[in-house]
Amino acid sequence: MPPALPRFAGVLEHRSVWISVGMHPRDLASDSFTTVFPGYLTPTAFPCSLNAMGWVLQNRALPGSMPSHATAALLWGLPLPARIEGGIGMLPVAEQLGDGTLVVPAVPTGTALGDDATLPVLHCLLPRGGRTRIGRGAVVHRGGPVATSQVGKLHLPVQGEVLRQLGTVLRPWDLVAVVEAMIGPQSRYPGQSVDTLHAVLASNPGRAGTPAARRALGRALPDVRSPGETVMRLVIEAVGLPQPVPNLRVSDPRDRSARYIDLAWEDVRLGLEYDGDGHRTTKGQWRRDEERRDQLAGLGWTLVRANGDDLRRPLRILLRIRDALARHGAVVPDAARIRRRLAAVVATHPAARMDR
């Protein structure tokens, strides 16, 4: 009788180790196990994390490699569009462990490996020369040495290097969202700024991705709390509407408390609240959001609400914002001009979070 698999939840080991703990080769060849890298398997019903995949790749399956590109971004807790690399951006980031390390499950919430989900393919960086292929489970990139940082048990490229790597694969506005996640108030690993990121890029200015990363740094703002807010702000600006202020602080003189508006036009007291998926997960979150909106309305603010569907197809929300700004006396372009500009924007596909 093989050992019960739940006790090995999250384990990723070589087949020889699995056999040493009582597994039979036919168990390892069955649907009960999934091969992650050649010779390394994890229980299908209780799969390993992305962190474990990165550690095994770095130390055993391909020694000397380092997670890079989208893989490193996830391990840094950075947001990626869901529509790249088979939905890798949908992988959730769990709470930090005792040492502050983020844990990234290898399958999206609510899915099962082997049923409706597959393991992500890891990206890794190797020095030039020597072995270049692993067989399965990873894409190997060759390159010169990069600055690194210890994140839990993993060595990762520093965030500035990850930004450069993502500059080769992400759309321009999605790359701005990564920068704003690095420098913003919701940063999972704070301490970055536009200046520190520029300094990393300056160390190897000729490397691929550097121009795109620099352009993203030039458009980034420091107080943005979500990638949806980033892309929404950029499309608002692109169609010629007045530029909003992200996360404007509004003081309530009645109780001296403060409220924040995702995107605000302070001179006309109009705000746009972007509701990501997290706003719909619990009744408690919904009630807190509604209470905050009621308080802001009591201070004379008019709020427009948007969600992920509005971001994917933004014409409707853009026209609502235009009409609301016009009612409050702001100078805005006419609807026909917004339609023309949006069509031009969509043609360039600046963000994977927007429909083509």
Side-chain angles (χ1 to χ4, degrees):
M1 238 354 234
L5 287 178
R7 60 183 283 208
F8 297 107
V11 173
L12 173 59
E13 275 294 357
H14 192 268
R15 62 180 292 109
S16 61
V17 176
W18 286 117
I19 291 173
S20 72
V21 298
M23 298 296 173
H24 193 277
R26 64 172 170 266
D27 299 319
L28 301 179
S30 73
D31 292 341
S32 297
F33 282 86
T34 295
T35 299
V36 180
F37 308 118
Y40 290 88
L41 301 92
T42 191
T44 301
F46 312 98
C48 61
S49 65
L50 194 73
N51 305 60
M53 293 172 65
W55 188 90
V56 168
L57 183 68
Q58 188 169 82
N59 294 279
R60 295 183 181 176
L62 196 59
S65 65
M66 182 189 313
S68 67
H69 296 75
T71 305
L74 289 171
L75 292 167
W76 275 116
L78 299 171
L80 295 175
R83 299 182 181 186
I84 68 167
E85 298 188 17
I88 194 172
M90 296 177 65
L91 294 179
V93 176
E95 294 298 322
Q96 293 183 338
L97 298 179
D99 64 355
T101 304
L102 299 174
V103 176
V104 183
V107 295
T109 303
T111 63
L113 180 60
D115 183 7
D116 48 2
T118 58
L119 290 174
V121 175
L122 267 62
H123 290 263
C124 67
L125 183 66
L126 269 177
R128 293 187 177 94
R131 182 180 173 189
T132 60
R133 298 188 65 184
I134 186 173
R136 68 178 295 172
V139 175
V140 179
H141 303 266
R142 286 290 181 180
V146 299
T148 65
S149 183
Q150 184 82 23
V151 180
K153 296 181 179 180
L154 288 168
H155 293 286
L156 297 180
V158 297
Q159 293 189 47
E161 286 293 348
V162 175
L163 176 64
R164 191 200 317 262
Q165 294 165 0
L166 294 177
T168 67
V169 294
L170 290 189
R171 308 300 301 174
W173 290 0
D174 294 321
L175 196 60
V176 177
V178 170
V179 175
E180 294 184 342
M182 289 178 173
I183 66 176
Q186 302 294 94
S187 173
R188 299 284 191 157
Y189 292 98
Q192 300 300 315
S193 68
V194 169
D195 290 340
T196 62
L197 296 172
H198 266 304
V200 173
L201 298 180
S203 63
N204 290 287
R207 281 186 174 161
T210 301
R214 283 178 169 163
R215 288 192 292 270
L217 283 169
R219 303 199 70 175
L221 298 177
D223 297 319
V224 181
R225 296 175 182 268
S226 78
E229 293 172 24
T230 298
V231 178
M232 187 65 73
R233 181 187 85 246
L234 293 173
V235 72
I236 287 170
E237 296 172 7
V239 299
L241 289 168
Q243 182 174 347
V245 175
N247 282 286
L248 179 72
R249 185 181 188 274
V250 178
S251 298
D252 189 339
R254 297 169 295 189
D255 59 6
R256 299 183 181 179
S257 62
R259 302 289 181 268
Y260 292 86
I261 301 176
D262 294 341
L263 296 170
W265 293 266
E266 187 174 13
D267 53 341
V268 294
R269 293 209 169 193
L270 177 69
L272 174 68
E273 292 285 276
Y274 179 79
D275 293 346
D277 289 338
H279 289 77
R280 299 189 294 272
T281 55
T282 66
K283 287 185 178 179
Q285 180 65 57
W286 181 83
R287 287 169 180 157
R288 287 191 294 272
D289 289 342
E290 290 302 304
E291 179 183 359
R292 183 170 60 88
R293 290 176 178 123
D294 288 343
Q295 291 171 329
L296 287 167
L299 296 172
W301 282 84
T302 300
L303 298 179
V304 177
R305 297 175 66 173
N307 56 39
D309 290 337
D310 293 313
L311 190 62
R312 288 186 288 274
R313 295 174 291 276
L315 178 60
R316 182 184 69 88
I317 192 65
L318 292 172
L319 294 178
R320 284 187 62 202
I321 293 169
R322 180 220 171 262
D323 292 345
L325 286 169
R327 286 195 301 270
H328 286 75
V331 178
V332 294
D334 61 35
R337 186 177 182 186
I338 288 177
R339 291 175 184 272
R340 289 194 302 271
R341 287 197 172 189
L342 180 60
V345 167
V346 171
T348 67
H349 194 214
R353 292 179 170 89
M354 295 173 59
D355 284 349
R356 288 181 180 274

